[in-house]
Each structure stands twice: as C-alpha cells, then as structure tokens.
Amino acid sequence: MVRIDRLDKQAHTRAMLIRFSTFALAVCVLAACSGPKGLQPSKADVPMIAENFMLRDQNGDPFELFKFDKAPAIILMSQIDNDPVSEQSIKALRDLQKDPVAEGAVFVMINTTDGVTRLQLAQEAKRVGAPDMRFLLDHRHFVSETLGVTRGGEVFVIDPRRWAIVYHGPVDDRFAARPTPTAQHTPVKDALTALAAGQGVAFASYEGGGAPITYPPSDDPDQYVNITYTGSVAQILLDKCTVCHVPNGVAPFAMTDYATVRKFAYPMRREVRTGQMPPVNSDRHDGPFAHVEDLTDEEARTLVHWAEGGAARGEGDDLLARMVRPLPTAETATAKKPAP
Ligand code: HEC
C-alpha cells in the first residue's frame, strides 16, 4: 500500500512537472509570437518606383517631386495631426537633417487629414517645432494612396537618380510597430549614408507604429472598376474640360466620345494628379482660360480612380458624342455667312 501510495505521489509530481513545463513552453511560444522588439518586415503594398506628383505646402507653394532630381535623396513622411509617432518622428528627422549625411537631401511631410486648411497645417508645423519644414496637403489622397501609406510616421526614402523607393518604414526602431526604448537600428540614416556615398541601396520595408490613416470608402481600389464613363466621368469632362478639349479648340486632343477619351485615361490621370489640368493656375486669362473651373476633390478622385480601375464605359448613351460640337474656325464661320 505504502509503495503504491509513494508511486502515486511520484506520478502526481511528474504530472505536475509536465503540466508546468507545458505551461512554461506555451508562455515561451507566446513570447516568441509577440516577437523581438524592433524592425519587422512590412506587408504594405509599396511601389518600387516613385511616380511624379504635385502638392501644395502650408504656404500654398507647389512641390513637384520630379523637380528635385538633383538632390542626393528625397525623404517623404506621412504625418497625421495629434499622432505621437508622427510628432516624435518629425523631431528625429530634424535631428537627422543636421547630420552631414543628409546634406542636400530634401525632407517633406505629407498630410492626408480631410478638410485641413493651409492655415491649420502651418499651425501644426509650428506646434511640432518644424515651422520651416514643408508640410504638403494631400487632401485628395493621391500621393498617400499610390505610396501605399497606412499610418502616420511612415518614411519613404527616394533615390532621385532612378526614382526608386529604397526604404519604407519608421525613422528608426523607436517608432516601429514594436518599439524599442532606444534607437538600435537607423535605416533612414543608413540609406542616406549609402546614397550620399553614391552607393546603391536595396529596398527594405518595415512595419511602423503610427496612428492609422482613414481613407474615405470611395478610395477602396476594389471599387474602381465600378466607376464608369456613362455613370459619372463623361459629365465631369463635359463640365470641366470641353471648353478647351473640343475639335478646333486650344487643347491638343478633343473629348468627342468614349473611345477617344479612353485612350487618354492615363494622361488625364497624370495631369489631374499633378494639378496641371484643368489649367486653373495658368497665367493666361483670355479666351477659354478666363472660365476655367477647378475639379472638386470628388471629381478629381473619380477621374483618377476611373483610369486606375480600367476606364470602363458603362451602359447607356455616350454623352460627349451627343453634346460636343466642333468650335467654328475662321473658314467654317465665313462659309456659314449668308450671301449679301
Ligand atoms: C482652359 C483650357 C483647358 C481646359 C479647361 C482643360 N484643358 Fe487640358 N489642355 C489644355 C491645353 C492648352 C493643353 C496643352 C498644353 C499643356 O499640356 O499644358 C492641354 C493638355 C491636356 C492633356 C495632355 C495631353 C497629352 O498629349 O498628353 C491632358 C491629358 C488634358 N489636357 C486633360 C484635361 C482634363 C482631364 C481636363 C478637365 C478636367 C482639361 N484637360 C481641361 C487646355 C485645357
């Protein structure tokens, strides 16, 4: 009896031990799952190549990316108001700006907050202690969308020699998704060092820890295929573009029907994204240029997303084919004059 009793006790202790070590193992596994702190690869959909864009800063001055082709590096950072990671990352970038490796590099912030005004942006720049930094207003989200931005404090390092995006992620691991208390890895500084030395940089992308950006539901790329020419695009073109884009008009191509317009879907996307069309900033104030009306944000998004979604026609009548008539030329005007 005693023997059995003792054996039972031993078995019990063994079972306890096994249970404890299973528990300990589970804790270890969980700890491993939450992973080491610091830089983790990102799953963000970041393009390899930077597209050109034009956005205005807090003073209303235009910033066109491709104008900075002589800079050794361009550093863009997504910035959200009242996001501690955005704010601290700006401070870190300002420190980096003073470093000799950053000499000549261009640093700009990209703000996506809906409805924010230039004045508010200027105030925010002052509040975070960066009044002389350029904060660009991306209220139409075109730039953030194509860069695949999902959070504040995401840095993009661009190599202007080939317009390659060489780095995407936090300034350093203090601003990573699992932040470290001190900066152990400084990928932005490392990329700048390599670019300043004329070296190539291999692409890297890490998960940041900033506040998430909220895009409007209309910015869901899965929905772009549903934007059609007959549904919305033709009306926008008729209202905002056909003063000039008519046969015999001042513009290089006429928007006469779906087939013609579809060929220009990507050029139109480019012109709208860079703020070139409609030419509201033209210094010509005569002829059709006297009546140029800008696109609303919604219209601009519709045109750009329509091109990205495949430039579908949709059902029904071709509005431009029905409405757009050639402008009279000197010849046709005289030909029509009744004989005296
Ligand atoms: C006030 C006249 C005017 C209006 C309004 C206008 N355009 Fe233009 N557009 C021009 C002129 C002039 C050019 C050629 C010079 C230039 O590119 O700046 C042009 C060029 C373009 C091009 C470049 C064509 C190419 O060969 O690549 C595109 C695309 C375009 N316009 C799209 C639009 C769209 C879309 C709208 C409406 C949202 C629009 N334009 C409104 C006058 C106008």
Side-chain angles (χ1 to χ4, degrees), residues 8-337:
D8 264 351
K9 254 194 193 142
Q10 277 174 355
H12 180 75
T13 320
R14 216 176 307 142
M16 284 295 283
L17 260 174
I18 290 169
R19 238 176 272 158
F20 176 73
S21 46
T22 318
F23 171 74
L25 191 74
V27 169
C28 288
V29 166
L30 275 178
C33 282
S34 75
K37 288 189 185 303
L39 300 174
Q40 313 289 327
S42 153
K43 288 184 201 76
D45 204 359
V46 177
M48 305 297 284
I49 297 290
E51 276 190 89
N52 194 22
F53 64 79
M54 191 282 282
L55 292 178
R56 290 184 182 274
D57 66 14
Q58 70 267 46
N59 301 314
D61 295 329
F63 175 96
E64 189 179 341
L65 185 69
F66 281 14
K67 292 247 163 84
F68 296 89
D69 58 340
K70 298 287 182 293
I74 302 170
I75 291 94
L76 311 174
M77 193 194 96
S78 58
Q79 174 259 332
I80 307 183
D81 297 0
N82 304 316
D83 166 32
V85 168
S86 293
E87 206 171 319
Q88 293 304 314
S89 300
I90 292 172
K91 295 207 166 77
L93 282 184
R94 287 181 73 73
D95 289 342
L96 189 56
Q97 256 182 318
K98 295 181 204 126
D99 198 294
V101 296
E103 202 184 317
V106 174
F107 288 73
V108 283
M109 298 297 127
I110 298 180
N111 184 296
T112 44
T113 318
D114 262 332
V116 76
T117 64
R118 276 178 204 156
L119 185 67
Q120 286 167 331
L121 202 56
Q123 284 165 346
E124 179 68 8
K126 273 199 201 117
R127 196 186 65 78
V128 299
D132 52 338
M133 227 177 194
R134 296 186 75 176
F135 283 61
L136 309 179
L137 210 60
D138 187 24
H139 58 292
R140 287 172 172 175
H141 299 162
F142 292 153
V143 176
S144 313
E145 260 173 42
T146 39
L147 288 175
V149 170
T150 57
R151 300 176 174 282
E154 283 183 45
V155 179
F156 295 82
V157 180
I158 299 172
D159 175 1
R161 291 171 305 182
R162 53 193 179 113
W163 294 114
I165 296 173
V166 295
Y167 174 72
H168 157 254
V171 184
D172 59 52
D173 41 11
R174 285 174 299 168
F175 312 109
R178 297 193 200 109
T180 53
T182 55
Q184 317 270 325
H185 296 97
T186 54
V188 174
K189 187 178 173 180
D190 297 348
L192 285 180
T193 311
L195 291 176
Q199 291 164 358
V201 184
F203 177 73
S205 175
Y206 299 116
E207 205 64 57
I213 287 179
T214 43
Y215 289 101
S218 61
D219 280 6
D220 174 5
D222 291 343
Q223 302 301 318
Y224 298 169
V225 289
N226 300 325
I227 306 171
T228 63
Y229 170 81
T230 52
S232 50
V233 169
Q235 188 66 56
I236 299 170
L237 300 178
L238 185 68
D239 293 346
K240 301 288 171 82
C241 318
T242 56
V243 208
C244 303
H245 289 267
V246 280
N248 308 328
V250 294
F253 74 101
M255 300 181 181
T256 46
D257 57 9
Y258 169 66
T260 319
V261 163
R262 183 182 50 191
K263 286 202 185 78
F264 284 93
Y266 265 90
M268 292 200 299
R269 173 184 177 275
R270 178 195 66 219
E271 299 294 311
V272 171
R273 271 172 49 90
T274 54
Q276 303 298 310
M277 285 289 143
V280 276
N281 304 306
S282 164
D283 41 17
R284 277 184 60 184
H285 301 291
D286 56 331
F289 289 86
H291 310 288
V292 184
E293 207 189 312
D294 201 359
L295 295 165
T296 64
D297 289 351
E298 194 49 44
E299 289 170 337
R301 282 176 181 160
T302 302
L303 289 184
V304 167
H305 294 158
W306 173 69
E308 291 170 359
R313 185 190 186 281
E315 294 296 315
D317 177 39
D318 189 326
L319 183 70
L320 294 183
R322 180 157 54 84
M323 299 296 287
V324 174
R325 292 284 163 266
L327 290 179
T329 62
E331 274 159 43
T332 55
T334 33
K336 269 188 207 133
K337 256 191 203 142

